[in-house]
Amino acid sequence: MSKTPASPKGKPGPKPQPRKAAAAAPDAGASPEGDRIAKVLSRAGVASRREAERMIAEGRVSVNGEKIDSPALNVTAADRISVDGKPLPEAEAPRMWLYYKPIGLVTSNSDEKGRTTIFDELPEDMPRVMTVGRLDINSEGLLLLTNDGGIKRKLELPSTGWLRRYRVRINGRPKDEDFATLRKGLVIEGERFQPMTVALDRQQGANAWLTVGLREGKNREIRRAMEDIGFNVNRLLRVSYGPFQLGELKPGEVEELRSRVVRDQLGLEPEEEKPAGRPTRSRGGKPGGKPAGRPMGKPGGKPGQKAQGRPGKPSGKPPASRGSDTAPRGVGKRPVGKNPRR
């Protein structure tokens, strides 16, 4: 019986030659290269994602010279994008502002009833911004603004879990045990509200001041919860949103956060510090003008200086919230002025 001759001792046999690799077919399960066109438009400060999708459907967006009608398209830096025939501006660095929303302004880009919105009252040279969450027309206090749609979505997610603190004035003489239901969580008209932190601060005549904390912001959540247990809210002021504090801002004032604070608090990638832009100016063109957009109606009573525990003597300044949250501050305050671009 014949045998296949072995390789000489000490010399390895011939290695099998690798087959030629077939052309790599695109993996159906792999993520497409680049980002969705609506996300790119949002990052460039053109519009929110939802507004960008509407612009695309209206045929106002072109990619590489061709109009598109669907947002289901990924683009890269190599693609040429234009909106209304104009090249897309470069994406801005993520920025955030603290804004004291006065009573009487609507937190939306436009209002079907013709009411004044916060965007009508922001300074003229503010870039296009979006709000992080909302405050209803009768509520006041801290509202976060950003030029970045990704930041907006991240901070609005319940999973982010940032505590929002409010100073709340209710009519009546409550006892601490009256708020047990709110601390456990409750269901109103089939909608479940997560547990709130409620501290009874003091009684002031026919009204009581509370400090309320929650981690998700449903529509009129605190007002509805208080009504459910028999109390009417007659003033509601947000004093903090996670680590960001209302501080000494007055109604209508805007304050930009330092880029380092934004990066540190949001866990963004570090980038080179850029020189500060021009200061925001008022309608008269001079910095430091008086803020416009005054509240509609004068709210009765003024909150104490402390957000929880025993409140201090009422004053015209909004209270700073105590707690484990730190209070990063921004740079100079920005007075309010009309913004015809909104």
Side-chain angles (χ1 to χ4, degrees), residues 183-255:
R183 292 168 180 144
K184 293 178 182 177
L186 70 165
V187 177
I188 302 176
E189 298 178 352
E191 188 173 10
R192 177 169 294 280
F193 289 5
Q194 296 299 317
M196 305 178 184
T197 62
V198 185
L200 177 57
D201 294 334
R202 63 169 172 154
Q203 190 71 36
Q204 186 182 39
N207 297 313
W209 279 102
L210 317 172
T211 298
V212 178
L214 50 85
R215 295 187 183 275
E216 61 176 356
K218 295 183 177 176
N219 184 35
R220 302 182 71 251
E221 183 169 354
I222 293 176
R223 295 181 187 275
R224 292 165 62 192
M226 291 297 171
E227 288 171 5
D228 192 68
I229 61 173
F231 296 102
N232 179 54
V233 174
N234 52 38
R235 192 173 183 189
L236 190 149
L237 180 143
R238 182 154 67 193
V239 294
S240 68
Y241 194 115
F244 304 112
Q245 308 284 328
L246 184 63
E248 298 299 316
L249 283 180
K250 294 179 176 60
E253 285 187 339
V254 182
E255 181 180 354

Side-chain angles (χ1 to χ4, degrees), residues 56-70:
I56 292 168
E58 293 170 354
R60 298 169 58 188
V61 180
S62 299
V63 177
N64 299 326
E66 295 185 7
K67 288 185 178 180
I68 60 172
D69 56 10
S70 170

Side-chain angles (χ1 to χ4, degrees), residues 51 101 105-113 115-120 131 133-135 143 342:
E51 291 168 346
K101 176 202 169 295
L105 298 184
V106 179
T107 310
S108 61
N109 290 312
S110 60
D111 183 64
E112 66 280 1
K113 298 180 181 179
R115 296 172 294 186
T116 305
T117 75
I118 66 165
F119 299 102
D120 296 323
T131 64
R134 296 190 174 210
L135 286 172
L143 192 62
R342 301 285 172 233

